[in-house]
Amino acid sequence: EVPVDGAGGAAALRFAADGRVVDAYSILEGTTWNCAGGATPWQTWLSCEEIPAGQVWECDPSGRAPAQPRPAMGLFRHEAAAADTARRVLYMSEDEPDGLLYRFRPRIWEDLSEGALEALAVSADGAISWVPVTGLGGPGRTPTRYDAPGATAFPGGEGIALDGDVLYFATKGDNRVSRLDLDRSRLTVYWDDPPLEGPDNLAVHDDTGNLFVCEDAGNMEVVMITPDGHGDPFLRFVGHDGSEVTGAAFDPTGTRLIVNSQRAPTPPTFDGCTYMVTGPF
């Protein structure tokens, strides 16, 4: 999240099986204010620009192939993305005070150059549906979120994480993590109580089903929410008051948690730190 036009991008860290970092390199350059993004099942990385006409960029994690813009996925203040192989759609959050939760249905699965963009609509009883987005946004055009009649606005869309038929969705304006049951088409509040403050990026631990929530406010914690309804601080960054906790992700074995302090230590700079926490979890 470098707030200078064209000074952003994305990079990759390569780990050995024992957790050692063995390489680091750029996979995207020349973009602006890159935010959470997400992985695809076909082994690419989606980097999302968090600016009013931001794009999704599809990146090669090896760094060999050039990154490709995906304007069909909408031009708006992108936050995070999650791919749903079962339904062949991708979900995207929007970091605006009245942002939407989108889904993109590629015309051809694994090809993000064409497709249909839709937005979530929630009824008073929590039932959900998806409405068409009639415009893709962009400079001089109606913002994308205003081209989806009937869609439900969310106060500051942040992290999203898919766990089977459940999509978790964080919103900072109401300090909430919501739960979308995609099989039953229902939205419920999953967590909106202490100790969580400023929910942002999300990660699910596959073996336990625990949801790890990064804070970008409060006391800079990663909060763990368990399937049986407990929320507890898992770790806290001390002396990082001007930072955000970002990018929590588990390695393939589920025994290592990688997490970042975006701008660290205080006072804030553009330099962050990446940490690895070894389980079991």
Side-chain angles (χ1 to χ4, degrees):
E1 291 192 355
V2 180
V4 179
D5 288 347
L13 292 174
R14 184 180 295 277
F15 297 92
D18 62 2
R20 291 178 298 110
V21 177
V22 295
D23 203 359
Y25 47 87
S26 174
I27 60 173
L28 173 65
E29 296 178 342
T31 53
T32 303
W33 205 278
N34 295 73
C35 201
T40 70
W42 50 93
Q43 308 303 313
T44 61
W45 176 258
L46 304 179
S47 184
C48 298
E49 290 182 301
E50 192 186 344
I51 54 176
Q55 296 196 87
V56 174
W57 291 80
E58 188 169 14
C59 307
D60 174 14
S62 74
R64 290 188 290 268
Q68 299 296 322
R70 299 303 186 197
M73 301 179 77
L75 304 177
F76 55 87
R77 198 181 295 273
H78 285 271
E79 178 80 19
D84 185 345
T85 302
R87 295 164 186 82
R88 295 200 163 195
V89 299
L90 295 97
Y91 305 101
M92 300 175 290
S93 55
E94 181 178 27
D95 193 354
E96 295 278 8
D98 55 350
L100 305 183
L101 181 68
Y102 299 88
R103 77 175 183 185
F104 179 68
R105 294 189 292 109
R107 189 175 68 85
I108 301 172
W109 188 236
E110 301 189 15
D111 179 357
L112 302 181
S113 62
E114 296 182 78
L117 188 64
E118 300 168 323
L120 184 71
V122 185
S123 66
D125 64 356
I128 68 172
S129 60
W130 298 91
V131 300
V133 179
T134 58
L136 298 180
R141 299 181 180 178
T142 302
T144 310
R145 63 192 185 279
Y146 300 146
D147 271 334
T152 299
F154 293 93
E158 294 282 351
I160 54 179
L162 188 65
D163 183 22
D165 292 325
V166 171
L167 183 74
Y168 296 103
F169 173 41
T171 44
K172 62 186 176 186
D174 53 8
N175 204 53
R176 176 175 293 176
V177 177
S178 297
R179 183 184 188 276
L180 277 72
D181 186 323
L182 300 166
D183 188 44
R184 295 179 174 83
S185 297
R186 306 290 299 180
L187 176 90
T188 55
V189 176
Y190 190 62
W191 196 268
D192 61 354
D193 293 319
L196 188 61
E197 187 174 357
D200 197 334
N201 297 171
L202 307 175
V204 178
H205 185 253
D206 289 339
D207 289 347
T208 62
N210 293 334
L211 181 68
F212 289 74
V213 186
C214 299
E215 293 183 334
D216 71 0
N219 52 10
M220 296 292 102
E221 290 182 337
V222 175
V223 174
M224 185 180 71
I225 303 173
T226 64
D228 59 356
H230 293 278
D232 297 292
F234 176 76
L235 65 83
R236 178 183 298 174
F237 288 98
V238 177
H240 294 215
D241 298 340
S243 185
E244 298 182 20
V245 186
T246 67
F250 287 94
D251 81 332
T253 70
T255 62
R256 300 183 184 97
L257 172 67
I258 295 93
V259 65
N260 310 283
S261 177
Q262 186 183 84
R263 311 189 195 285
T266 301
T269 68
F270 289 153
D271 298 325
C273 294
T274 297
Y275 300 85
M276 179 180 288
V277 182
T278 301
F281 294 93

